[in-house]
Amino acid sequence: EKKHKVTIVGSGNWGSTIAKIVAENTRQHHDVFEEQVQMWVYEEEVVIGSDSKHYDASVGDKPQKLTSVINTHHENVKYLPGIALPTNIVANPSLVDAVKDSSILVFNLPHQFIANVCRQVNGHILPFARGISCIKGVNVTADGVSLFSEWIGDGLNIYCGALSGANIASEIAAEKWSETTVAYDPPPMDNSRNPTPRSGSPHLGMTTVEQQDQPHKDCRGRTSKTKLTPLPAEYPPLDHDCFRALFHRPYFHVQMVSDVAGVSLGGALKNIVALAAGFVDGRGWGDNAKAAIMRIGLMEMVKFGKEFFGETVQSQTFTETSAGVADLITSSSGGRNFRCAKKAVEQGITVDEVERKDLNGQKLQGTTTAFEVNSFLQARGLEREYPLFTAVNDILLGRKDVDDIPNLVAAVTDGP
Ligand code: NAD
Ligand code: 13P
């Protein structure tokens, strides 16, 4: 039997944390996965100062390649400093080489870079590879809004699920207990290799060999345009059990579901709400105001999901899973979008300025998502139906002020 080779595409704050989790699990489940995990690193140079335990006097403060620092010291000193990475992670600056021969691709990088990455890997991956997107954002084009799980799947001709939850990376890297949601709805041809649905997989559904040739549905319930290549029989099945084994740790509990659209949307839209929570906290309005923002934000998230992904999205994904309400709460309490928005209001500067000054190269997803969702709503004349999303966009653009929020959302707080 073949084993699954895993590549993490991305190595930022969350990318490095997920690489740590995955590498711990490929070691533990070495009967299913190759132990070595490839981690693609967008190469850059870093300086190791004399105050670091990795300081080497013979190198001094000469810039060094981040990949060679990670492979030597087993630490991502720039994006996840202070956390020991398993030695079976190999940092690789070549995207094409990192994805070569991997049957599982975990996409974990800021959403603004994914288009370029997909262009580069297209044609260089195994045709039967399967993906998981950990990216929190949406992709808006003239045609509409798409999720990165479906966008990666369509672009690379593979099936792609999603991982999202109340997952502030630094806490998980420090192995503090948390939970996440992994959405994976295996295409019928994968199910047919594994006729008996296994534990915790109530949605595995289609199982017979006759169904092998059925076209698979995308995450909106439409017949997918992608022509999937079946996973060869010598590989272990890529089902809920397999992905649970890949991501579950004693400190990182995994709930498997099938609602890929709901999980992907929860992670993207909560970033807009977290910015709003930061705005009102920055004004010093206290916890009641923040709770009101979260309530209104959650309603707009559910409405957006139902309105544009209604065939498949389940409201419970927003209201009951880690990828929904729990992520909304943690992100509005200690996420980067929240913290940067709060500081911007306190200091009277823009969120972009705080991001540049404070985040050392990490990227906010909420600002671009707010603009992208707004351009989608505006094109359909729906801005007024999403007053909080619209307010965040207008505040970011300087067209409205935080003090305008109570009026802007009055239709929701006061009723019609
Ligand atoms: P990050 O914010 O740490 O971003 C920095 C990464 O972007 C680095 O790896 C850097 O090398 C890379 N980068 C910079 N320029 C690039 C370019 N031109 N092309 C490709 N890569 C480039 O990233 P992250 O925290 O790992 O976030 C990845 C995704 O995970 C995001 O969608 C985010 O919303 C989500 N997420 C983050 C957290 C968290 O706590 N950090 C938690 C859950 C989900
Ligand atoms: P930020 O990107 O705002 O830090 O949010 C992290 C996150 O998604 C926590 O679940």
Side-chain angles (χ1 to χ4, degrees):
E1 262 214 346
K2 287 233 178 213
K3 297 179 184 184
H4 290 295
K5 180 179 171 191
V6 189
T7 297
I8 313 297
V9 180
S11 56
N13 193 232
W14 186 223
S16 302
T17 304
I18 280 289
K20 172 180 180 295
I21 288 169
V22 164
E24 288 167 359
N25 279 329
T26 56
R27 256 190 189 152
Q28 183 176 334
H29 304 289
H30 51 83
D31 49 329
V32 177
F33 305 108
E34 285 186 18
E35 285 194 44
Q36 194 187 81
V37 171
Q38 290 283 319
M39 177 173 80
W40 173 65
V41 175
Y42 178 73
E43 189 67 287
E44 60 186 288
E45 298 200 316
V46 291
V47 172
I48 310 272
S50 55
D51 52 346
S52 164
K53 66 176 179 192
H54 303 309
Y55 181 70
D56 177 349
S58 67
V59 178
D61 55 9
K62 273 202 236 99
Q64 304 175 54
K65 296 226 179 306
L66 181 57
T67 45
S68 89
V69 172
I70 295 173
N71 288 331
T72 307
H73 300 294
H74 306 291
E75 182 180 324
N76 188 338
V77 293
K78 175 147 186 198
Y79 293 105
L80 195 61
I83 299 294
L85 296 176
T87 52
N88 54 328
I89 293 177
V90 176
N92 191 336
S94 162
L95 190 49
V96 167
D97 190 58
V99 298
K100 191 168 165 254
D101 297 332
S102 286
S103 47
I104 301 179
L105 304 171
V106 180
F107 295 88
N108 198 330
L109 68 165
H111 79 278
Q112 43 273 56
F113 305 128
I114 188 70
N116 197 19
V117 160
C118 281
R119 245 191 317 276
Q120 290 180 62
V121 300
N122 209 351
H124 298 281
I125 60 172
L126 290 177
F128 52 82
R130 301 288 183 251
I132 293 284
S133 165
C134 304
I135 299 164
K136 292 183 174 175
V138 286
N139 184 48
V140 171
T141 62
D143 296 339
V145 63
S146 62
L147 308 168
F148 284 105
S149 39
E150 59 184 341
W151 199 77
I152 291 167
D154 290 348
L156 299 181
N157 229 21
I158 62 174
Y159 177 79
C160 187
L163 179 154
S164 189
N167 296 150
I168 290 182
S170 55
E171 295 176 14
I172 295 163
E175 303 191 2
K176 295 178 180 173
W177 172 76
S178 69
E179 56 163 354
T180 200
T181 318
V182 176
Y184 197 81
D185 194 10
M189 65 171 68
D190 286 6
N191 279 340
S192 63
R193 300 182 61 249
N194 181 29
T196 320
R198 292 196 272 173
S199 61
S201 310
H203 304 291
L204 274 178
M206 309 169 88
T207 54
T208 63
V209 176
E210 296 79 60
Q211 284 160 321
Q212 178 154 342
D213 292 331
Q214 280 207 0
H216 79 285
K217 301 271 185 211
D218 68 13
C219 66
R220 303 181 202 222
R222 303 172 303 203
T223 300
S224 175
K225 288 178 290 223
T226 55
K227 189 104 183 78
L228 295 180
T229 305
L231 183 70
E234 44 297 11
Y235 282 88
L238 276 175
D239 56 10
H240 279 194
D241 286 354
C242 183
F243 284 107
R244 189 194 304 281
L246 189 63
F247 293 113
H248 183 94
R249 296 300 297 156
Y251 59 86
F252 189 61
H253 285 237
V254 168
Q255 183 189 16
M256 296 295 309
V257 301
S258 298
D259 182 5
V260 177
V263 165
S264 304
L265 271 181
L269 299 177
K270 64 83 191 176
N271 282 329
I272 308 178
V273 187
L275 287 170
F279 290 151
V280 301
D281 218 42
R283 269 284 190 271
W285 288 353
D287 292 336
N288 297 336
K290 207 159 84 170
I293 291 292
M294 287 192 245
R295 178 185 80 83
I296 299 164
L298 184 61
M299 284 172 61
E300 291 190 18
M301 288 166 63
V302 174
K303 181 175 159 66
F304 193 93
K306 282 294 184 199
E307 192 158 353
F308 304 112
F309 295 83
E311 294 84 359
T312 55
V313 158
Q314 297 169 9
S315 300
Q316 302 97 291
T317 305
F318 296 107
T319 55
E320 293 179 18
T321 72
S322 183
V325 64
D327 194 9
L328 180 68
I329 294 169
T330 202
S331 297
S332 301
S333 310
R336 297 169 298 185
N337 286 286
F338 167 78
R339 287 187 279 115
C340 290
K342 178 174 174 167
K343 196 162 180 181
V345 172
E346 285 168 347
Q347 299 192 348
I349 56 177
T350 65
V351 177
D352 286 350
E353 276 175 272
V354 183
E355 178 185 19
R356 269 195 304 277
K357 278 199 217 153
D358 285 16
L359 290 190
N360 193 28
Q362 292 182 35
K363 304 282 178 214
L364 293 184
Q365 306 286 268
T367 42
T368 38
T369 304
F371 298 144
E372 286 158 351
V373 166
N374 182 262
S375 72
F376 173 75
L377 293 174
Q378 197 184 28
R380 283 153 188 81
L382 291 172
E383 280 176 296
R384 287 164 66 91
E385 291 192 31
Y386 293 85
L388 187 68
F389 290 174
T390 304
V392 170
N393 179 66
D394 286 345
I395 292 167
L396 288 170
L397 292 176
R399 297 199 291 232
K400 291 277 194 279
D401 192 76
V402 177
D403 293 331
D404 297 323
I405 289 179
N407 266 340
L408 294 171
V409 299
V412 191
T413 52
D414 307 2

